[in-house]
Amino acid sequence: MMEKDAKIYVAGHRGMAGAAIVRELRRQGYDNIVTRTHSELDLTRQEPVEAFFCAEKPEYVFHAAGKVGGIMANYESPADFMYENMMIEMNVLHAAWKNNVKKMEFLGSSCIYPRLAPQPMPESCLLTSELEKTNEAYALAKISGLKYCEYLNRQYAANFISVMPANLYGINDNYHLKNSHVLPALIRRFHEAKETGADSLTCWGDGSPLREFLYADDLANLCVFLMNHYNGNESVNAGTGKEISIKELAELIAKVTGFQGEILWDAAKPNGTPRKLLDISKATALGWTYRMELEEGIRLAYEDFLNNGRD
């Protein structure tokens, strides 16, 4: 168990997952939280990262930092996604081990699993077949971080755990039309289509892919729970165990935002992985369950979009 006065470093605290972890820690009475903005500490550079860990000596670390984006951003900039994520995670994980951090938690992504993995996807299906090409670079970087945690545990008896969340959404999301994930991108597009009185809106693909969505604050709750109750070497999937087609998601977001036009589909654009449903039996067996249902979560995310704006 993390001591209430322990020094805790949250890497990536300005991102959606990191901000949610900070909120959850404070909700549970952890107040000795250390953060750094990108301008204060560039995590892609090894020397400043090692100097930070040497000076601050955090006891626990939540690693939620990284370069993220939707299918278009991943497809167009694979080198950037691989380089930045690899550098960030290796620098932080290595410095944490070198400075005797008691426990580290690394956040990955469900895209680490094979494109045609068994459904729902158990943690054990990692590296059993090829990845989805549209986000292969990002997935390879996250797999490397997960494996480095495993290797540090095995070789040096570290206590580094990994969490693999489903598609995240919620407060403090990125709504950039090109660089965001599908749910926030659709929130923005449907809102703007409603505002301009558009008769229709065209979405990528054919709407058939199935996806699972997890509210960021639910992930944060699991992250703190695992830091206090899990020490296994294998990663833990984080999700709801429920899936929805992209077509159904678009219709739900249209309902929440009030868009009443026609939804069209451009089947010439890529769909991505056909189905991504996580096997969450491990988290469930540990005693954790999600709280936020999708429609209510989308309403809260849309409210956040309206209040805190666009890019």
Side-chain angles (χ1 to χ4, degrees):
M1 294 284 289
M2 292 188 295
E3 306 80 15
K4 291 296 183 181
D5 61 348
K7 181 179 280 192
I8 302 170
Y9 171 46
V10 180
H13 74 287
R14 283 190 166 181
M16 179 172 56
I21 289 170
V22 170
R23 285 196 298 274
E24 181 66 19
L25 286 169
R26 287 180 174 151
R27 187 185 73 80
Q28 293 194 29
Y30 296 98
D31 295 318
N32 191 7
I33 301 170
V34 179
T35 60
R36 290 291 186 277
T37 64
H38 176 72
S39 61
E40 292 170 331
L41 178 62
D42 183 351
L43 296 177
T44 65
R45 298 179 59 216
Q46 185 178 32
E47 188 175 343
V49 173
E50 293 200 350
F52 164 78
F53 272 86
C54 186
E56 291 292 337
K57 295 292 185 185
E59 297 168 82
Y60 299 93
V61 177
F62 290 85
H63 187 351
K67 181 178 177 63
V68 298
I71 188 171
M72 186 187 298
N74 273 273
Y75 182 76
E76 292 182 348
S77 307
D80 296 344
F81 274 86
M82 173 169 263
Y83 175 80
E84 290 188 35
N85 284 296
M86 290 281 284
M87 295 300 290
I88 288 170
E89 65 201 26
M90 290 300 162
N91 288 340
V92 173
L93 292 170
H94 184 73
W97 162 73
K98 195 174 178 181
N99 287 276
N100 301 310
V101 164
K102 289 182 181 179
K103 192 170 184 180
M104 152 77 79
E105 184 172 80
F106 172 70
L107 266 66
S109 166
S110 61
C111 74
I112 66 167
Y113 296 121
R115 183 177 190 274
L116 299 177
Q119 301 290 327
M121 300 181 290
E123 291 87 352
S124 59
C125 76
L126 180 66
L127 297 175
T128 56
S129 60
E130 70 177 358
L131 299 165
E132 162 61 35
K133 293 298 182 184
T134 53
N135 59 14
E136 183 182 71
Y138 179 74
L140 286 170
K142 288 298 182 180
I143 291 169
S144 296
L146 178 161
K147 284 296 181 181
Y148 190 47
C149 288
E150 288 185 9
Y151 300 150
L152 287 168
N153 292 343
R154 189 174 75 191
Q155 186 174 346
Y156 296 108
N159 190 4
F160 286 16
I161 63 173
S162 299
V163 185
M164 299 299 125
N167 293 280
L168 295 176
Y169 73 102
I171 307 304
N172 204 40
D173 209 340
N174 168 24
Y175 297 95
H176 190 282
L177 287 175
K178 183 177 178 180
N179 298 327
S180 62
H181 290 107
V182 59
L183 194 155
L186 288 176
I187 285 179
R188 176 168 181 166
R189 294 191 66 210
F190 277 112
H191 171 79
E192 292 182 350
K194 179 191 73 172
E195 292 293 290
T196 59
D199 295 327
S200 65
L201 187 149
T202 302
C203 300
W204 272 37
D206 60 15
S208 66
L210 295 167
R211 293 291 182 268
E212 177 182 15
F213 294 93
L214 179 66
Y215 195 63
D217 287 79
D218 280 341
L219 170 67
N221 180 258
L222 174 61
C223 286
V224 177
F225 175 85
L226 291 174
M227 276 293 244
N228 285 324
H229 300 287
Y230 180 72
N231 297 303
N233 200 35
E234 190 177 58
S235 62
V236 179
N237 286 339
T240 64
K242 298 180 179 180
E243 59 189 345
I244 184 173
S245 73
I246 296 300
K247 181 177 184 294
E248 293 170 316
L249 177 69
E251 292 168 350
L252 183 56
I253 292 174
K255 173 186 172 184
V256 170
T257 59
F259 174 73
Q260 297 181 338
E262 185 180 5
I263 303 174
L264 305 175
W265 297 91
D266 182 357
K269 296 291 194 300
N271 274 327
T273 304
R275 190 182 181 199
K276 282 173 66 177
L277 178 65
L278 291 173
D279 180 344
I280 58 168
S281 57
K282 182 184 290 186
T284 302
L286 289 167
W288 181 86
T289 186
Y290 79 98
R291 300 170 186 172
M292 184 67 68
E293 296 296 344
L294 185 58
E295 183 169 349
E296 177 60 21
I298 291 173
R299 290 188 187 281
L300 291 172
Y302 183 45
E303 183 179 317
D304 178 61
F305 168 78
L306 295 175
N307 291 336
N308 299 308
R310 339 290 147 78
D311 48 88

mmCIF file of all heavy atoms in Angstrom, residues 240-284:
data_model
loop_
_atom_site.group_PDB
_atom_site.id
_atom_site.type_symbol
_atom_site.label_atom_id
_atom_site.label_comp_id
_atom_site.label_asym_id
_atom_site.label_seq_id
_atom_site.Cartn_x
_atom_site.Cartn_y
_atom_site.Cartn_z
ATOM 1 N N THR A 240 -14.276 -2.069 -19.764
ATOM 2 C CA THR A 240 -15.641 -2.253 -19.261
ATOM 3 C C THR A 240 -16.191 -3.632 -19.593
ATOM 4 O O THR A 240 -17.195 -4.048 -19.013
ATOM 5 C CB THR A 240 -16.585 -1.207 -19.875
ATOM 6 O OG1 THR A 240 -16.644 -1.414 -21.300
ATOM 7 C CG2 THR A 240 -16.102 0.209 -19.584
ATOM 8 N N GLY A 241 -15.560 -4.312 -20.563
ATOM 9 C CA GLY A 241 -16.093 -5.585 -21.025
ATOM 10 C C GLY A 241 -17.271 -5.426 -21.959
ATOM 11 O O GLY A 241 -17.924 -6.400 -22.339
ATOM 12 N N LYS A 242 -17.553 -4.180 -22.380
ATOM 13 C CA LYS A 242 -18.662 -3.896 -23.295
ATOM 14 C C LYS A 242 -18.114 -3.245 -24.564
ATOM 15 O O LYS A 242 -17.156 -2.482 -24.507
ATOM 16 C CB LYS A 242 -19.676 -2.953 -22.641
ATOM 17 C CG LYS A 242 -20.342 -3.523 -21.402
ATOM 18 C CD LYS A 242 -21.321 -2.518 -20.824
ATOM 19 C CE LYS A 242 -22.031 -3.070 -19.594
ATOM 20 N NZ LYS A 242 -22.988 -2.085 -19.014
ATOM 21 N N GLU A 243 -18.739 -3.529 -25.693
ATOM 22 C CA GLU A 243 -18.293 -2.945 -26.956
ATOM 23 C C GLU A 243 -19.464 -2.320 -27.707
ATOM 24 O O GLU A 243 -20.625 -2.641 -27.461
ATOM 25 C CB GLU A 243 -17.596 -4.000 -27.818
ATOM 26 C CG GLU A 243 -18.441 -5.192 -28.164
ATOM 27 C CD GLU A 243 -17.646 -6.303 -28.833
ATOM 28 O OE1 GLU A 243 -16.523 -6.057 -29.286
ATOM 29 O OE2 GLU A 243 -18.167 -7.431 -28.920
ATOM 30 N N ILE A 244 -19.113 -1.435 -28.633
ATOM 31 C CA ILE A 244 -20.102 -0.724 -29.441
ATOM 32 C C ILE A 244 -19.504 -0.504 -30.815
ATOM 33 O O ILE A 244 -18.293 -0.292 -30.947
ATOM 34 C CB ILE A 244 -20.485 0.624 -28.766
ATOM 35 C CG1 ILE A 244 -21.599 1.341 -29.548
ATOM 36 C CG2 ILE A 244 -19.261 1.524 -28.610
ATOM 37 C CD1 ILE A 244 -22.120 2.595 -28.818
ATOM 38 N N SER A 245 -20.317 -0.588 -31.859
ATOM 39 C CA SER A 245 -19.803 -0.331 -33.204
ATOM 40 C C SER A 245 -19.569 1.164 -33.369
ATOM 41 O O SER A 245 -20.196 1.994 -32.701
ATOM 42 C CB SER A 245 -20.780 -0.836 -34.263
ATOM 43 O OG SER A 245 -21.925 0.001 -34.337
ATOM 44 N N ILE A 246 -18.674 1.517 -34.269
ATOM 45 C CA ILE A 246 -18.404 2.934 -34.539
ATOM 46 C C ILE A 246 -19.673 3.613 -35.077
ATOM 47 O O ILE A 246 -19.940 4.780 -34.774
ATOM 48 C CB ILE A 246 -17.237 3.083 -35.536
ATOM 49 C CG1 ILE A 246 -15.941 2.529 -34.922
ATOM 50 C CG2 ILE A 246 -17.041 4.551 -35.920
ATOM 51 C CD1 ILE A 246 -15.498 3.206 -33.647
ATOM 52 N N LYS A 247 -20.471 2.870 -35.823
ATOM 53 C CA LYS A 247 -21.746 3.412 -36.320
ATOM 54 C C LYS A 247 -22.666 3.756 -35.154
ATOM 55 O O LYS A 247 -23.248 4.851 -35.099
ATOM 56 C CB LYS A 247 -22.423 2.405 -37.245
ATOM 57 C CG LYS A 247 -23.747 2.875 -37.850
ATOM 58 C CD LYS A 247 -24.303 1.834 -38.806
ATOM 59 C CE LYS A 247 -25.570 2.331 -39.485
ATOM 60 N NZ LYS A 247 -26.684 2.519 -38.518
ATOM 61 N N GLU A 248 -22.799 2.840 -34.202
ATOM 62 C CA GLU A 248 -23.640 3.092 -33.028
ATOM 63 C C GLU A 248 -23.076 4.223 -32.176
ATOM 64 O O GLU A 248 -23.827 5.028 -31.610
ATOM 65 C CB GLU A 248 -23.768 1.818 -32.188
ATOM 66 C CG GLU A 248 -24.538 0.701 -32.864
ATOM 67 C CD GLU A 248 -24.437 -0.607 -32.102
ATOM 68 O OE1 GLU A 248 -23.325 -0.961 -31.649
ATOM 69 O OE2 GLU A 248 -25.482 -1.276 -31.958
ATOM 70 N N LEU A 249 -21.738 4.286 -32.096
ATOM 71 C CA LEU A 249 -21.098 5.369 -31.347
ATOM 72 C C LEU A 249 -21.424 6.714 -31.979
ATOM 73 O O LEU A 249 -21.754 7.674 -31.268
ATOM 74 C CB LEU A 249 -19.585 5.164 -31.315
ATOM 75 C CG LEU A 249 -18.785 6.273 -30.626
ATOM 76 C CD1 LEU A 249 -19.045 6.284 -29.125
ATOM 77 C CD2 LEU A 249 -17.286 6.118 -30.912
ATOM 78 N N ALA A 250 -21.326 6.790 -33.306
ATOM 79 C CA ALA A 250 -21.632 8.037 -34.008
ATOM 80 C C ALA A 250 -23.077 8.464 -33.757
ATOM 81 O O ALA A 250 -23.363 9.646 -33.515
ATOM 82 C CB ALA A 250 -21.382 7.861 -35.500
ATOM 83 N N GLU A 251 -23.981 7.504 -33.783
ATOM 84 C CA GLU A 251 -25.397 7.824 -33.537
ATOM 85 C C GLU A 251 -25.616 8.316 -32.107
ATOM 86 O O GLU A 251 -26.404 9.225 -31.865
ATOM 87 C CB GLU A 251 -26.249 6.581 -33.822
ATOM 88 C CG GLU A 251 -26.285 6.208 -35.297
ATOM 89 C CD GLU A 251 -26.874 4.829 -35.566
ATOM 90 O OE1 GLU A 251 -27.082 4.075 -34.576
ATOM 91 O OE2 GLU A 251 -27.110 4.504 -36.735
ATOM 92 N N LEU A 252 -24.884 7.716 -31.157
ATOM 93 C CA LEU A 252 -25.002 8.127 -29.757
ATOM 94 C C LEU A 252 -24.449 9.537 -29.558
ATOM 95 O O LEU A 252 -25.057 10.364 -28.854
ATOM 96 C CB LEU A 252 -24.256 7.131 -28.866
ATOM 97 C CG LEU A 252 -24.324 7.343 -27.353
ATOM 98 C CD1 LEU A 252 -25.766 7.384 -26.867
ATOM 99 C CD2 LEU A 252 -23.551 6.243 -26.637
ATOM 100 N N ILE A 253 -23.330 9.838 -30.185
ATOM 101 C CA ILE A 253 -22.741 11.173 -30.061
ATOM 102 C C ILE A 253 -23.622 12.213 -30.746
ATOM 103 O O ILE A 253 -23.782 13.343 -30.254
ATOM 104 C CB ILE A 253 -21.309 11.182 -30.619
ATOM 105 C CG1 ILE A 253 -20.405 10.337 -29.712
ATOM 106 C CG2 ILE A 253 -20.757 12.607 -30.730
ATOM 107 C CD1 ILE A 253 -18.999 10.159 -30.227
ATOM 108 N N ALA A 254 -24.234 11.842 -31.886
ATOM 109 C CA ALA A 254 -25.171 12.752 -32.546
ATOM 110 C C ALA A 254 -26.335 13.081 -31.609
ATOM 111 O O ALA A 254 -26.767 14.243 -31.506
ATOM 112 C CB ALA A 254 -25.693 12.110 -33.830
ATOM 113 N N LYS A 255 -26.802 12.073 -30.895
ATOM 114 C CA LYS A 255 -27.900 12.271 -29.937
ATOM 115 C C LYS A 255 -27.483 13.219 -28.820
ATOM 116 O O LYS A 255 -28.212 14.163 -28.477
ATOM 117 C CB LYS A 255 -28.322 10.913 -29.370
ATOM 118 C CG LYS A 255 -29.330 10.983 -28.235
ATOM 119 C CD LYS A 255 -29.565 9.599 -27.647
ATOM 120 C CE LYS A 255 -30.422 9.648 -26.394
ATOM 121 N NZ LYS A 255 -30.573 8.299 -25.772
ATOM 122 N N VAL A 256 -26.305 12.988 -28.253
ATOM 123 C CA VAL A 256 -25.831 13.799 -27.122
ATOM 124 C C VAL A 256 -25.577 15.243 -27.543
ATOM 125 O O VAL A 256 -25.906 16.191 -26.813
ATOM 126 C CB VAL A 256 -24.559 13.177 -26.508
ATOM 127 C CG1 VAL A 256 -23.918 14.130 -25.503
ATOM 128 C CG2 VAL A 256 -24.881 11.843 -25.840
ATOM 129 N N THR A 257 -24.999 15.437 -28.721
ATOM 130 C CA THR A 257 -24.662 16.790 -29.181
ATOM 131 C C THR A 257 -25.841 17.518 -29.816
ATOM 132 O O THR A 257 -25.786 18.730 -30.014
ATOM 133 C CB THR A 257 -23.512 16.746 -30.205
ATOM 134 O OG1 THR A 257 -23.900 15.931 -31.315
ATOM 135 C CG2 THR A 257 -22.251 16.186 -29.583
ATOM 136 N N GLY A 258 -26.883 16.772 -30.178
ATOM 137 C CA GLY A 258 -28.060 17.395 -30.780
ATOM 138 C C GLY A 258 -27.994 17.540 -32.289
ATOM 139 O O GLY A 258 -28.789 18.277 -32.879
ATOM 140 N N PHE A 259 -27.070 16.837 -32.946
ATOM 141 C CA PHE A 259 -26.995 16.874 -34.409
ATOM 142 C C PHE A 259 -28.116 16.027 -34.995
ATOM 143 O O PHE A 259 -28.271 14.857 -34.649
ATOM 144 C CB PHE A 259 -25.639 16.347 -34.886
ATOM 145 C CG PHE A 259 -25.528 16.223 -36.379
ATOM 146 C CD1 PHE A 259 -25.397 17.361 -37.170
ATOM 147 C CD2 PHE A 259 -25.569 14.983 -37.006
ATOM 148 C CE1 PHE A 259 -25.297 17.254 -38.549
ATOM 149 C CE2 PHE A 259 -25.468 14.862 -38.367
ATOM 150 C CZ PHE A 259 -25.328 16.004 -39.144
ATOM 151 N N GLN A 260 -28.887 16.605 -35.913
ATOM 152 C CA GLN A 260 -30.051 15.902 -36.460
ATOM 153 C C GLN A 260 -29.933 15.599 -37.947
ATOM 154 O O GLN A 260 -30.890 15.119 -38.565
ATOM 155 C CB GLN A 260 -31.321 16.718 -36.186
ATOM 156 C CG GLN A 260 -31.585 16.874 -34.686
ATOM 157 C CD GLN A 260 -32.850 17.656 -34.397
ATOM 158 O OE1 GLN A 260 -33.328 18.429 -35.232
ATOM 159 N NE2 GLN A 260 -33.407 17.456 -33.203
ATOM 160 N N GLY A 261 -28.754 15.850 -38.527
ATOM 161 C CA GLY A 261 -28.570 15.565 -39.948
ATOM 162 C C GLY A 261 -28.290 14.089 -40.204
ATOM 163 O O GLY A 261 -28.323 13.245 -39.309
ATOM 164 N N GLU A 262 -27.969 13.789 -41.473
ATOM 165 C CA GLU A 262 -27.700 12.412 -41.880
ATOM 166 C C GLU A 262 -26.225 12.063 -41.632
ATOM 167 O O GLU A 262 -25.340 12.890 -41.846
ATOM 168 C CB GLU A 262 -28.019 12.245 -43.372
ATOM 169 C CG GLU A 262 -27.877 10.819 -43.872
ATOM 170 C CD GLU A 262 -28.210 10.679 -45.354
ATOM 171 O OE1 GLU A 262 -28.458 11.708 -46.021
ATOM 172 O OE2 GLU A 262 -28.209 9.532 -45.837
ATOM 173 N N ILE A 263 -25.981 10.843 -41.177
ATOM 174 C CA ILE A 263 -24.609 10.359 -40.970
ATOM 175 C C ILE A 263 -24.222 9.497 -42.158
ATOM 176 O O ILE A 263 -24.850 8.469 -42.424
ATOM 177 C CB ILE A 263 -24.491 9.559 -39.662
ATOM 178 C CG1 ILE A 263 -24.937 10.412 -38.465
ATOM 179 C CG2 ILE A 263 -23.047 9.090 -39.469
ATOM 180 C CD1 ILE A 263 -24.995 9.645 -37.150
ATOM 181 N N LEU A 264 -23.182 9.921 -42.892
ATOM 182 C CA LEU A 264 -22.707 9.194 -44.068
ATOM 183 C C LEU A 264 -21.362 8.536 -43.735
ATOM 184 O O LEU A 264 -20.668 8.955 -42.813
ATOM 185 C CB LEU A 264 -22.548 10.148 -45.252
ATOM 186 C CG LEU A 264 -23.794 10.966 -45.627
ATOM 187 C CD1 LEU A 264 -23.458 11.961 -46.737
ATOM 188 C CD2 LEU A 264 -24.937 10.050 -46.043
ATOM 189 N N TRP A 265 -20.974 7.531 -44.550
ATOM 190 C CA TRP A 265 -19.737 6.789 -44.304
ATOM 191 C C TRP A 265 -18.895 6.709 -45.562
ATOM 192 O O TRP A 265 -19.414 6.454 -46.650
ATOM 193 C CB TRP A 265 -20.057 5.376 -43.777
ATOM 194 C CG TRP A 265 -20.757 5.449 -42.463
ATOM 195 C CD1 TRP A 265 -22.105 5.506 -42.241
ATOM 196 C CD2 TRP A 265 -20.145 5.546 -41.180
ATOM 197 N NE1 TRP A 265 -22.367 5.634 -40.905
ATOM 198 C CE2 TRP A 265 -21.184 5.652 -40.220
ATOM 199 C CE3 TRP A 265 -18.824 5.545 -40.742
ATOM 200 C CZ2 TRP A 265 -20.939 5.763 -38.862
ATOM 201 C CZ3 TRP A 265 -18.575 5.644 -39.377
ATOM 202 C CH2 TRP A 265 -19.626 5.759 -38.454
ATOM 203 N N ASP A 266 -17.596 6.964 -45.405
ATOM 204 C CA ASP A 266 -16.647 6.891 -46.517
ATOM 205 C C ASP A 266 -15.868 5.582 -46.405
ATOM 206 O O ASP A 266 -14.839 5.508 -45.723
ATOM 207 C CB ASP A 266 -15.697 8.093 -46.476
ATOM 208 C CG ASP A 266 -14.711 8.110 -47.633
ATOM 209 O OD1 ASP A 266 -14.732 7.163 -48.441
ATOM 210 O OD2 ASP A 266 -13.915 9.065 -47.719
ATOM 211 N N ALA A 267 -16.364 4.547 -47.076
ATOM 212 C CA ALA A 267 -15.772 3.213 -46.964
ATOM 213 C C ALA A 267 -14.390 3.121 -47.600
ATOM 214 O O ALA A 267 -13.685 2.118 -47.408
ATOM 215 C CB ALA A 267 -16.699 2.176 -47.587
ATOM 216 N N ALA A 268 -13.977 4.155 -48.352
ATOM 217 C CA ALA A 268 -12.626 4.160 -48.932
ATOM 218 C C ALA A 268 -11.569 4.441 -47.876
ATOM 219 O O ALA A 268 -10.381 4.145 -48.074
ATOM 220 C CB ALA A 268 -12.543 5.198 -50.047
ATOM 221 N N LYS A 269 -11.975 4.997 -46.738
ATOM 222 C CA LYS A 269 -11.045 5.287 -45.650
ATOM 223 C C LYS A 269 -10.894 4.044 -44.761
ATOM 224 O O LYS A 269 -11.795 3.221 -44.662
ATOM 225 C CB LYS A 269 -11.552 6.466 -44.813
ATOM 226 C CG LYS A 269 -11.618 7.789 -45.574
ATOM 227 C CD LYS A 269 -10.226 8.297 -45.891
ATOM 228 C CE LYS A 269 -10.253 9.753 -46.331
ATOM 229 N NZ LYS A 269 -11.051 10.014 -47.523
ATOM 230 N N PRO A 270 -9.722 3.907 -44.074
ATOM 231 C CA PRO A 270 -9.478 2.697 -43.280
ATOM 232 C C PRO A 270 -10.367 2.577 -42.053
ATOM 233 O O PRO A 270 -10.732 3.569 -41.426
ATOM 234 C CB PRO A 270 -8.007 2.833 -42.875
ATOM 235 C CG PRO A 270 -7.729 4.299 -42.924
ATOM 236 C CD PRO A 270 -8.564 4.830 -44.051
ATOM 237 N N ASN A 271 -10.706 1.334 -41.731
ATOM 238 C CA ASN A 271 -11.496 1.039 -40.536
ATOM 239 C C ASN A 271 -10.620 0.848 -39.304
ATOM 240 O O ASN A 271 -11.066 1.033 -38.181
ATOM 241 C CB ASN A 271 -12.302 -0.250 -40.732
ATOM 242 C CG ASN A 271 -13.629 -0.013 -41.417
ATOM 243 O OD1 ASN A 271 -14.254 1.028 -41.238
ATOM 244 N ND2 ASN A 271 -14.057 -0.973 -42.216
ATOM 245 N N GLY A 272 -9.369 0.419 -39.521
ATOM 246 C CA GLY A 272 -8.532 0.004 -38.405
ATOM 247 C C GLY A 272 -8.876 -1.417 -37.986
ATOM 248 O O GLY A 272 -9.527 -2.161 -38.726
ATOM 249 N N THR A 273 -8.458 -1.808 -36.806
ATOM 250 C CA THR A 273 -8.722 -3.158 -36.299
ATOM 251 C C THR A 273 -10.225 -3.435 -36.276
ATOM 252 O O THR A 273 -10.995 -2.589 -35.826
ATOM 253 C CB THR A 273 -8.145 -3.296 -34.876
ATOM 254 O OG1 THR A 273 -6.755 -2.973 -34.908
ATOM 255 C CG2 THR A 273 -8.325 -4.697 -34.337
ATOM 256 N N PRO A 274 -10.658 -4.612 -36.746
ATOM 257 C CA PRO A 274 -12.088 -4.884 -36.806
ATOM 258 C C PRO A 274 -12.787 -4.907 -35.450
ATOM 259 O O PRO A 274 -13.937 -4.490 -35.322
ATOM 260 C CB PRO A 274 -12.183 -6.260 -37.478
ATOM 261 C CG PRO A 274 -10.818 -6.684 -37.828
ATOM 262 C CD PRO A 274 -9.839 -5.672 -37.346
ATOM 263 N N ARG A 275 -12.076 -5.423 -34.439
ATOM 264 C CA ARG A 275 -12.714 -5.550 -33.126
ATOM 265 C C ARG A 275 -11.650 -5.449 -32.042
ATOM 266 O O ARG A 275 -10.562 -6.006 -32.194
ATOM 267 C CB ARG A 275 -13.436 -6.897 -33.029
ATOM 268 C CG ARG A 275 -14.324 -7.055 -31.813
ATOM 269 C CD ARG A 275 -14.965 -8.433 -31.784
ATOM 270 N NE ARG A 275 -15.844 -8.580 -30.633
ATOM 271 C CZ ARG A 275 -16.255 -9.744 -30.151
ATOM 272 N NH1 ARG A 275 -15.867 -10.874 -30.725
ATOM 273 N NH2 ARG A 275 -17.049 -9.780 -29.093
ATOM 274 N N LYS A 276 -11.955 -4.738 -30.971
ATOM 275 C CA LYS A 276 -11.010 -4.590 -29.852
ATOM 276 C C LYS A 276 -11.786 -4.606 -28.545
ATOM 277 O O LYS A 276 -12.221 -3.576 -28.051
ATOM 278 C CB LYS A 276 -10.227 -3.281 -29.977
ATOM 279 C CG LYS A 276 -9.095 -3.300 -30.993
ATOM 280 C CD LYS A 276 -8.478 -1.923 -31.171
ATOM 281 C CE LYS A 276 -7.776 -1.448 -29.935
ATOM 282 N NZ LYS A 276 -7.106 -0.144 -30.131
ATOM 283 N N LEU A 277 -11.958 -5.807 -28.011
ATOM 284 C CA LEU A 277 -12.625 -5.954 -26.724
ATOM 285 C C LEU A 277 -11.661 -6.637 -25.769
ATOM 286 O O LEU A 277 -11.128 -7.709 -26.068
ATOM 287 C CB LEU A 277 -13.897 -6.797 -26.868
ATOM 288 C CG LEU A 277 -14.679 -7.061 -25.563
ATOM 289 C CD1 LEU A 277 -15.233 -5.760 -24.991
ATOM 290 C CD2 LEU A 277 -15.797 -8.069 -25.807
ATOM 291 N N LEU A 278 -11.415 -6.028 -24.630
ATOM 292 C CA LEU A 278 -10.464 -6.577 -23.665
ATOM 293 C C LEU A 278 -11.114 -7.611 -22.756
ATOM 294 O O LEU A 278 -12.267 -7.455 -22.335
ATOM 295 C CB LEU A 278 -9.882 -5.450 -22.811
ATOM 296 C CG LEU A 278 -8.949 -4.463 -23.519
ATOM 297 C CD1 LEU A 278 -8.601 -3.314 -22.587
ATOM 298 C CD2 LEU A 278 -7.692 -5.167 -24.002
ATOM 299 N N ASP A 279 -10.342 -8.630 -22.441
ATOM 300 C CA ASP A 279 -10.721 -9.573 -21.397
ATOM 301 C C ASP A 279 -10.323 -8.928 -20.068
ATOM 302 O O ASP A 279 -9.141 -8.774 -19.781
ATOM 303 C CB ASP A 279 -9.977 -10.894 -21.611
ATOM 304 C CG ASP A 279 -10.314 -11.942 -20.547
ATOM 305 O OD1 ASP A 279 -10.861 -11.569 -19.490
ATOM 306 O OD2 ASP A 279 -10.004 -13.119 -20.778
ATOM 307 N N ILE A 280 -11.297 -8.538 -19.270
ATOM 308 C CA ILE A 280 -11.015 -7.821 -18.021
ATOM 309 C C ILE A 280 -11.182 -8.722 -16.800
ATOM 310 O O ILE A 280 -11.348 -8.232 -15.681
ATOM 311 C CB ILE A 280 -11.898 -6.563 -17.888
ATOM 312 C CG1 ILE A 280 -13.388 -6.935 -17.935
ATOM 313 C CG2 ILE A 280 -11.555 -5.547 -18.965
ATOM 314 C CD1 ILE A 280 -14.317 -5.802 -17.516
ATOM 315 N N SER A 281 -11.125 -10.037 -17.023
ATOM 316 C CA SER A 281 -11.363 -10.967 -15.918
ATOM 317 C C SER A 281 -10.327 -10.839 -14.806
ATOM 318 O O SER A 281 -10.627 -11.057 -13.632
ATOM 319 C CB SER A 281 -11.414 -12.410 -16.436
ATOM 320 O OG SER A 281 -10.223 -12.751 -17.119
ATOM 321 N N LYS A 282 -9.084 -10.457 -15.169
ATOM 322 C CA LYS A 282 -8.050 -10.313 -14.146
ATOM 323 C C LYS A 282 -8.375 -9.148 -13.204
ATOM 324 O O LYS A 282 -8.332 -9.310 -11.975
ATOM 325 C CB LYS A 282 -6.675 -10.088 -14.776
ATOM 326 C CG LYS A 282 -5.556 -9.991 -13.749
ATOM 327 C CD LYS A 282 -4.207 -9.671 -14.384
ATOM 328 C CE LYS A 282 -3.699 -10.845 -15.184
ATOM 329 N NZ LYS A 282 -2.321 -10.596 -15.683
ATOM 330 N N ALA A 283 -8.715 -7.987 -13.765
ATOM 331 C CA ALA A 283 -9.074 -6.832 -12.932
ATOM 332 C C ALA A 283 -10.321 -7.131 -12.108
ATOM 333 O O ALA A 283 -10.415 -6.745 -10.936
ATOM 334 C CB ALA A 283 -9.295 -5.602 -13.811
ATOM 335 N N THR A 284 -11.277 -7.826 -12.721
ATOM 336 C CA THR A 284 -12.510 -8.178 -12.012
ATOM 337 C C THR A 284 -12.217 -9.109 -10.836
ATOM 338 O O THR A 284 -12.750 -8.933 -9.741
ATOM 339 C CB THR A 284 -13.507 -8.847 -12.981
ATOM 340 O OG1 THR A 284 -13.787 -7.953 -14.061
ATOM 341 C CG2 THR A 284 -14.810 -9.192 -12.268
#
